[in-house]
Amino acid sequence: MDSTEATKGKESVQKRSPLDLIMNQLRRKASFTERKKPAMGRLFRPSESSDKRNSSITEIKDSEASEGKENDSKKEIVNTDDEGDSVVGWGRVKQFVQKLGKTPHSQNLSLSHCDLTATDVVELATLLPFLAQLEVMDLSWNDLVGGSLKALTAHLHHVGKMRVLKLCNCRLTAQDLTALGEALDCIPLIEVLDLSWNIGVGAGNFRHFTEHLQPESTLKELRLVDCQLSETDITALSEALPMLSHLEEFDLSNNKLSIKGLENLTSSFGSTPRLKTLKLSMCGLSKDSLIVLGQALRFIPALEVFDLSCNKQAGGSLATLATNLAHLTQLRCLDMHLCCLTKEDVLALVQVAPSLKELRELDLSSNKSVGDTLQILLQTLPLSQITKLPLNNCALSTPACHALANAMQKLQHLESLNLSWNKGVGENLRQFLEPLQPDCKLQELRLSSCNLTTEDLLHLESACQRGVLSQLKQLDLSYNGSVGDGGWTALFGKAAGLKGLEELDVSLRPSAFLSVSPWLPALLEAFTHLSSLTHLSLQHWALSSAEREKLEKVLSKKNVIMECDRLATPTPKAAG
């Protein structure tokens, strides 16, 4: 009996097992929602056995657990989709940028000079959601951006981290300025805005932008170079300055400033106490303009860079401004090149120079009167701090050259010296070079059109040999055709002393085509020492096809850009 019952039990298990498996699978496949539905039959069904109820509860718990896993997997799918969209979006950005010949970068979008069309602007707008980390956007020099900027500004809320926006020469219109102004709230961190070379910014249109500025704007740099700003625009700008309390750089160069406009503008300088850079180059400043400007300097005591260059009508009037320069105790750079300064102007500067204790750069180039007054000026400048001293085209006299040579020992931090277009430097170069020490910091030396002689280049060779020009990066010896072949050969023979040189210019005047043959071997040998060289200019030197080929072969291996004329026939030796 026992064996028979065991056999029957085994058979019953075998018979029940397939059905049980099928039923279990069907039950597990039934959706949880269906099992949760309040079935009417369940309400009126006779009471079930406790075993069956427990079985149902177990199944429901299993189903709930199963649903939880499904929900988790759905969340993972959603996240994956977001990441996928981001990847696809960045792929679109890369494709768009590379199509324009640029390199994609998530924080810096530089699309200047890309011939962007209105369609490109619209497409760029659709890509902004995938550039959430963008900080710099440069669309400059794209004429067709003008008139379609609103399509882009409507999506700037996607790039709320943007700090720099450049729209130079984009033919912006009044509508573009309105759209840009309305979008300022979308880019609350904006610090730099460059709208230079947009005529449409002027002609009374600038108010369409300024009327949207809010108090405590984060803007630090505003550039409006050559925008043909009218008196109305300057007035709108002056009314907006109280909103720009964080402004540090302000560039209005190449805009004609009337006396009334300048009065309105300077009256608001008290609202910009942090201003460090003020550029008013080529603004048509006159004697009256300098008076107005001088009176306002006390409101911007933090000024470090002051550019008044190319205001030719200001000549003879510097005394009206110079007395107020003493307020600028932090001034580091003063640029007054090409201002037709008179001897009296320079002497007025001499009076205030002792107050400019932080001065590092003084540009008085292209002012002929400097040649006669340089000796006095050098006595009042903080020479030990000067890093840049452009004196090109200043008609330096022999006494001026001697004075500068004597000052070279004190110019311990001088990094840039430009003596170009001063004929008196020729035959006197030795005076400037001998005081230089091995720790000389000179990085730029320009001696173009100085009537240099072979002897001058021999002194330059000696300076190279002493190692005092090892930090030199730019050397301009152009337009000195009076140098003999021996001078070039000697200089290139000591090229090891110019190991840091990056740019070298030995071009001749257009009328002179002299042969490079006598010193070309020395130049080719010099390249082994000039490992940092990136640019070589040999304009107007005559090279044969073989010489040119040899040069190009050597320079191509070093990735050096060479500027020279096509094949030309050498002419007899003549003055450069």
Side-chain angles (χ1 to χ4, degrees), residues 100 111-118 120 139-145:
L100 298 170
L111 299 178
S112 61
H113 299 278
C114 284
D115 294 324
L116 295 179
T117 64
D120 292 326
L139 304 181
S140 300
W141 304 96
N142 289 290
D143 292 349
L144 299 181
V145 168

Side-chain angles (χ1 to χ4, degrees), residues 213-281:
L213 288 170
Q214 299 296 321
E216 295 300 317
S217 166
T218 57
L219 206 60
K220 292 183 178 181
E221 299 179 19
L222 179 59
R223 302 179 190 132
L224 300 168
V225 179
D226 197 12
C227 286
Q228 297 192 14
L229 299 178
S230 65
E231 191 172 295
T232 302
D233 297 313
I234 296 298
T235 299
L237 185 56
S238 63
E239 293 173 351
L241 281 184
M243 311 287 185
L244 305 177
S245 58
H246 295 279
L247 195 64
E248 296 181 2
E249 179 175 332
F250 194 20
D251 193 347
L252 291 176
S253 298
N254 291 37
N255 288 289
K256 180 73 174 179
L257 299 180
S258 66
I259 296 298
K260 184 178 179 180
L262 193 59
E263 287 176 344
N264 290 335
L265 185 68
T266 56
S267 66
S268 299
F269 276 0
S271 303
T272 58
R274 303 182 187 183
L275 195 63
K276 294 181 180 180
T277 299
L278 178 60
K279 297 185 178 182
L280 300 173
S281 177

Side-chain angles (χ1 to χ4, degrees), residues 73-87:
S73 64
K74 286 179 181 179
K75 289 179 181 179
E76 291 177 1
I77 291 173
V78 170
N79 292 335
T80 304
D81 288 343
D82 290 341
E83 293 176 2
D85 290 342
S86 179
V87 171

Side-chain angles (χ1 to χ4, degrees), residues 324-545:
N324 291 292
L325 287 176
H327 293 293
L328 307 180
T329 56
Q330 304 300 314
L331 192 65
R332 300 172 66 88
C333 175
L334 177 61
D335 188 349
M336 298 196 70
H337 79 267
L338 198 60
C339 282
C340 295
L341 298 181
T342 63
K343 182 177 180 180
E344 289 70 25
D345 290 328
V346 180
L347 292 177
L349 189 58
V350 167
Q351 297 299 317
V352 73
S355 302
L356 307 178
K357 297 180 180 180
E358 298 299 321
L359 197 65
R360 300 292 188 273
E361 302 179 16
L362 178 62
D363 191 347
L364 300 178
S365 60
S366 298
N367 288 291
K368 302 290 186 182
S369 60
V370 174
D372 296 325
T373 53
L374 183 62
Q375 184 174 3
I376 303 174
L377 181 62
L378 289 174
Q379 294 174 357
T380 59
L381 293 177
L383 298 180
S384 61
Q385 299 176 173
I386 297 294
T387 59
K388 189 173 183 179
L389 191 59
L391 293 169
N392 46 296
N393 197 25
C394 283
L396 297 183
S397 60
T398 300
C401 288
H402 290 321
L404 180 58
N406 292 332
M408 290 300 292
Q409 292 181 339
K410 298 180 181 179
L411 292 167
Q412 301 168 356
H413 292 90
L414 190 65
E415 297 177 359
S416 174
L417 178 62
N418 191 343
L419 300 176
S420 296
W421 303 92
N422 286 292
K423 305 301 181 184
V425 174
E427 299 183 347
N428 288 306
L429 189 59
R430 175 185 176 184
Q431 300 178 56
F432 303 104
L433 298 176
E434 284 190 342
L436 299 181
Q437 299 299 314
D439 61 348
C440 175
K441 295 177 174 57
L442 200 61
Q443 298 180 19
E444 179 183 17
L445 179 60
R446 298 193 178 277
L447 301 167
S448 177
S449 191
C450 284
N451 275 0
L452 298 183
T453 64
T454 300
E455 186 176 356
D456 289 323
L457 256 66
L458 292 177
H459 290 302
L460 192 57
E461 172 213 7
S462 176
C464 293
Q465 190 172 12
R466 290 190 292 119
V468 298
L469 298 177
S470 60
Q471 295 192 42
L472 200 64
K473 295 181 179 180
Q474 297 173 316
L475 178 59
D476 184 356
L477 300 173
S478 61
Y479 290 13
N480 286 291
S482 52
V483 174
D485 296 330
W488 299 117
T489 302
L491 175 63
F492 297 139
K494 300 299 180 183
L498 296 170
K499 58 184 180 181
L501 196 64
E502 297 176 1
E503 299 180 15
L504 174 63
D505 191 347
V506 295
S507 301
L508 294 177
R509 295 181 184 277
S511 59
F513 279 92
L514 305 178
S515 176
V516 302
S517 300
W519 48 267
L520 182 59
L523 177 61
L524 292 172
E525 178 64 25
F527 290 144
T528 59
H529 303 288
L530 303 177
S531 58
S532 300
L533 192 67
T534 60
H535 192 280
L536 172 66
S537 184
L538 293 171
Q539 295 280 11
H540 313 306
W541 283 98
L543 294 89
S544 67
S545 57

Side-chain angles (χ1 to χ4, degrees), residues 539-572:
Q539 295 280 11
H540 313 306
W541 283 98
L543 294 89
S544 67
S545 57
E547 290 170 336
R548 184 184 182 91
E549 183 179 349
K550 188 178 295 185
L551 263 175
E552 290 178 342
K553 183 178 181 180
V554 173
L555 295 180
S556 63
K557 293 180 179 179
K558 295 180 171 291
N559 294 321
V560 177
I561 298 174
M562 180 176 68
E563 292 184 12
C564 66
D565 300 287
R566 291 297 167 186
L567 302 182
T569 304
T571 57

Side-chain angles (χ1 to χ4, degrees), residues 57-76:
I57 292 171
T58 304
E59 289 175 4
I60 291 173
K61 288 182 178 179
D62 290 342
S63 298
E64 288 176 343
S66 176
E67 186 199 21
K69 291 181 180 179
E70 288 178 3
N71 288 337
D72 289 341
S73 64
K74 286 179 181 179
K75 289 179 181 179
E76 291 177 1

